[in-house]
Amino acid sequence: MHRLYLDRQKPSFRLHSVKCSGTEVHLSLCPLEFYKVNSSAACQDGGPVVVSCTLGPLFAAQNAAQTAPKKKKVETIRLKGGSRPGEGRIEVLKNGQWGTVCDDRWDLQAASVVCRELGFGSAKEALTGARMGQGMGSIHMNEVKCTGHEQSILNCQYKNITEEDCKHSEDAAVRCNIPYMGYEKTIRLAGGRTQQEGRVEVLWGPRGEERWGFVCGEGWGTKEAAVVCQQLGLGFVSSALQETWYWDASNVTEMIMSGVRCSGTEMTLQQCSRHKAVSCKNTGTRHAAGVICSESASDLILHATLVQETAYIEDRPLHMLYCAAEENCLSSSARHANWPYGHRRLLRFSSQIHNNGRADFRPKAGRHSWVWHECHGHYHSMDIFTHYDLLTPNGTKVAEGHKASFCLEDSECQELVSKRYECANFGEQGITVGCWDLYRHDIDCQWIDITDVKPGNYLLQVVINPNFEVAESDFTNNAMKCNCKYDGHRIWIHNCHIGDALSEEANKRFEQYRGQLNNQIL
């Protein structure tokens, strides 16, 4: 094809004698010679260079039609906390556990090895100082030094570190050069006060007959809105709106999508599932889906080890549980108990929730709608913030607890970070970046009522922000799970970990171990 082009056009040349080693992060870093435009003498025996690029796995998977299932490649590196494809905090897999990379000596050469390993181009930026948020758990690598020829960052030279050498405030991150796909041309925001907000309008239809239309707001949520913000290159979602009557309507009056459901990993809204035929209870533009995007977002992570260290059983007298019963913190059988006599058996543990993102975590509801709870003496700013579940090996729920409402505040913070939120005296509620909210084991409702649970082996599962009410940069780390063995008198909690902290293989072993325990005679 390019030969036909050469026959018809007389190309001009700017570069000559380009010689790259293959490790450069940009063509300009290769040895080369410049020539004046239209200089034919520079290329007497050759022609213009032609390259053919192959899409990396992320883009290839998103753009493939119906491909035959392939064996899934074992992941050894991933990016977390980024708002766009090809950017994020670097996490590597070692000994079945995901961990971060320290930013000491972190440079473009090493960052480009990461980008190429993930199927992107070279690195655009090598970021230091936890610019993409902090990780939690192990830090696997320090002082990484790559030649640029390595197939994986794990093949580069590096040092193993101790906790004294590096902290998560030094987590390395990267921005990769990625192919331009033009995804933002098929979606737009209309009617908002700024470029980062508005009613969602999508270009849809058969090739050559595409038309703009809006999306039904029914069921529209945080994950769908997050895909829109990423597709437009506007960062993270701040709010997902099911009604947009307060924004000026554009000339688009047709609804062309409804029932949109996204997992959050899609690169365009058009790749999400939806109704085959438009079906929406409220069809007017005032009920169209909308978004507000933001350059930063919070990221909540539970301290899994603390749950394991603080778990115990308490038989608590019923006369001390009236307040908890009012807030529906006991199992349903408590309603038929002989109050105030008898007791309830409670599995208690501390819950320490860190905000490792790049924006403060704030409740969705404004102060005007917070609810005062007389028995606990403070305002609750969220209806449901955490679910606590006890599950059988096959996933059946046998007991549950939840913080029916939460009072969000900064209990403690990292060094040099100041507290900003406090519940007392109708204060502002939230969790500051670099701080955590601690709910001690002896606080009301910080438990699971296991009065009716039979001896056996179970899974303890804790999920933060379970209904995705507040946007975060990463929802995959919101769940924590542990093995749990109960003999009717004592309880053992072990193997506690964040849901995505282990490799796929290690998680399978966790599930198998739980199943094997269940078959043993206690």
Side-chain angles (χ1 to χ4, degrees):
M1 196 69 175
H2 63 278
R3 289 296 177 190
L4 292 174
Y5 169 79
L6 285 176
D7 292 340
R8 296 173 185 169
Q9 304 284 337
K10 188 175 181 180
S12 60
F13 300 95
R14 289 180 172 83
L15 299 179
H16 181 262
S17 300
V18 180
K19 189 175 182 180
C20 302
S21 67
T23 63
E24 294 84 0
V25 298
H26 193 275
L27 188 66
S28 64
L29 299 176
C30 300
L32 49 85
E33 297 177 19
F34 285 95
Y35 281 83
K36 294 179 180 179
V37 178
N38 295 326
S39 174
S40 57
C43 201
Q44 288 179 333
D45 301 321
V49 170
V50 177
V51 297
S52 177
C53 300
T54 302
L55 287 175
L58 176 64
F59 295 92
Q62 295 286 351
N63 287 273
Q66 290 183 348
T67 56
K70 296 179 181 179
K71 188 176 180 181
K72 189 177 179 182
K73 183 182 176 183
V74 177
E75 237 185 349
T76 58
I77 187 168
R78 66 187 184 186
L79 300 181
K80 301 276 276 185
S83 64
R84 300 171 181 87
E87 71 171 32
R89 178 179 64 253
I90 299 162
E91 296 191 353
V92 295
L93 185 65
K94 287 183 68 179
N95 302 320
Q97 187 174 15
W98 289 99
T100 60
V101 175
C102 190
D103 64 9
D104 292 349
R105 298 183 64 177
W106 184 246
D107 59 14
L108 275 174
Q109 194 93 314
S112 289
V113 171
V114 170
C115 292
R116 288 166 181 152
E117 183 179 356
L118 290 167
F120 301 111
S122 56
K124 185 189 299 182
E125 291 180 83
L127 304 172
T128 59
R131 286 270 301 280
M132 292 291 174
Q134 298 185 25
M136 203 162 184
S138 301
I139 302 174
H140 286 327
M141 305 174 75
N142 188 24
E143 296 190 18
V144 178
K145 187 177 181 182
C146 303
T147 65
H149 292 288
E150 295 86 355
Q151 296 294 310
S152 169
I153 189 177
L154 292 170
N155 300 136
C156 299
Q157 295 180 19
Y158 65 89
K159 291 183 180 179
N160 293 313
I161 63 172
T162 62
E163 190 175 336
E164 291 74 27
D165 295 325
C166 195
K167 293 180 170 56
H168 282 296
S169 58
E170 302 170 73
D171 282 343
V174 68
R175 281 197 181 101
C176 302
N177 288 306
I178 62 172
Y180 175 67
M181 307 300 290
Y183 289 146
E184 78 285 356
K185 293 181 178 179
T186 61
I187 195 167
R188 66 191 183 192
L189 301 183
R193 299 159 296 181
T194 68
Q195 292 182 337
Q196 290 187 303
E197 67 178 31
R199 182 180 300 106
V200 178
E201 295 181 353
V202 181
L203 188 63
W204 190 247
R207 186 179 293 274
E209 301 177 20
E210 297 93 342
R211 63 195 187 280
W212 288 98
F214 61 88
V215 180
C216 177
E218 285 177 35
W220 182 258
T222 303
K223 289 186 176 182
E224 291 73 36
V227 172
V228 171
C229 292
Q230 177 179 280
Q231 185 177 349
L232 287 166
L234 296 176
F236 302 99
V237 58
S238 175
S239 297
L241 308 168
Q242 296 185 352
E243 292 187 13
T244 51
W245 54 267
Y246 37 80
W247 282 333
D248 295 334
S250 65
N251 58 0
V252 172
T253 57
E254 181 186 7
M255 181 180 291
I256 58 175
M257 272 192 188
S258 65
V260 178
R261 286 288 180 275
C262 303
S263 66
T265 60
E266 298 86 355
M267 299 184 73
T268 70
L269 194 68
Q270 290 87 339
Q271 292 166 354
C272 300
S273 64
R274 61 193 172 277
H275 291 155
K276 290 183 179 179
V278 174
S279 174
C280 189
K281 183 178 178 182
N282 299 302
T283 56
T285 54
R286 60 178 292 153
H287 297 287
V291 300
I292 300 176
C293 303
S294 172
E295 276 297 312
S296 58
S298 60
D299 184 21
L300 299 187
I301 305 178
L302 187 70
H303 191 330
T305 307
L306 186 66
V307 173
Q308 183 169 312
E309 292 172 348
T310 57
Y312 66 98
I313 285 178
E314 179 192 11
D315 289 332
R316 194 163 183 81
L318 280 174
H319 68 83
M320 300 176 69
L321 291 171
Y322 280 105
C323 184
E326 282 182 28
E327 297 199 17
N328 198 30
C329 295
L330 302 173
S331 63
S332 57
S333 64
R335 299 171 193 162
H336 310 294
N338 185 24
W339 293 79
Y341 307 104
H343 67 272
R344 304 298 293 182
R345 176 157 289 186
L346 308 174
L347 168 57
R348 310 196 71 151
F349 49 87
S350 294
S351 176
Q352 187 171 298
I353 300 158
H354 292 244
N355 181 4
N356 285 359
R358 290 185 280 155
D360 294 353
F361 184 94
R362 300 298 309 279
K364 183 178 180 179
R367 295 165 66 101
H368 63 281
S369 59
W370 294 356
V371 179
W372 173 259
H373 282 252
E374 185 66 39
C375 65
H376 284 154
H378 58 236
Y379 284 94
H380 289 167
S381 59
M382 292 186 70
D383 289 336
I384 294 179
F385 183 68
T386 310
H387 279 168
Y388 312 132
D389 296 321
L390 202 62
L391 310 173
T392 64
N394 65 8
T396 304
K397 188 185 297 185
V398 295
E400 66 177 343
H402 63 275
K403 294 297 286 189
S405 298
F406 251 46
C407 168
L408 295 165
E409 64 181 357
D410 296 325
S411 302
E412 297 291 340
C413 297
Q414 296 172 3
E415 190 177 354
L416 303 179
V417 178
S418 300
K419 298 179 183 180
R420 298 181 61 184
Y421 303 106
E422 186 177 10
C423 293
N425 302 317
F426 199 30
E428 288 292 342
Q429 293 192 24
I431 306 176
T432 305
V433 175
C435 299
W436 55 89
D437 192 356
L438 174 64
Y439 282 78
R440 287 172 48 88
H441 55 83
D442 53 0
I443 294 177
D444 257 9
C445 296
Q446 186 59 41
W447 62 55
I448 299 177
D449 184 351
I450 61 170
T451 306
D452 307 314
V453 174
K454 297 177 181 178
N457 293 283
Y458 300 97
L459 171 70
L460 170 62
Q461 180 174 280
V462 179
V463 183
I464 308 166
N465 194 13
N467 299 331
F468 315 116
E469 281 190 44
V470 178
E472 298 183 48
S473 62
D474 185 4
F475 287 113
T476 61
N477 57 14
N478 280 33
M480 182 222 71
K481 49 188 177 180
C482 313
N483 287 127
C484 178
K485 183 176 181 179
Y486 176 50
D487 68 359
H489 305 284
R490 294 165 297 174
I491 199 158
W492 292 267
I493 307 290
H494 54 109
N495 292 345
C496 290
H497 61 278
I498 300 301
D500 69 340
L502 303 182
S503 68
E504 190 174 335
E505 183 181 346
N507 262 320
K508 284 180 181 176
R509 287 200 302 270
F510 175 86
E511 297 294 329
Q512 289 169 356
Y513 177 68
R514 183 162 53 93
Q516 290 166 2
L517 277 177
N518 196 56
N519 293 327
Q520 295 174 4
I521 298 175
L522 293 173

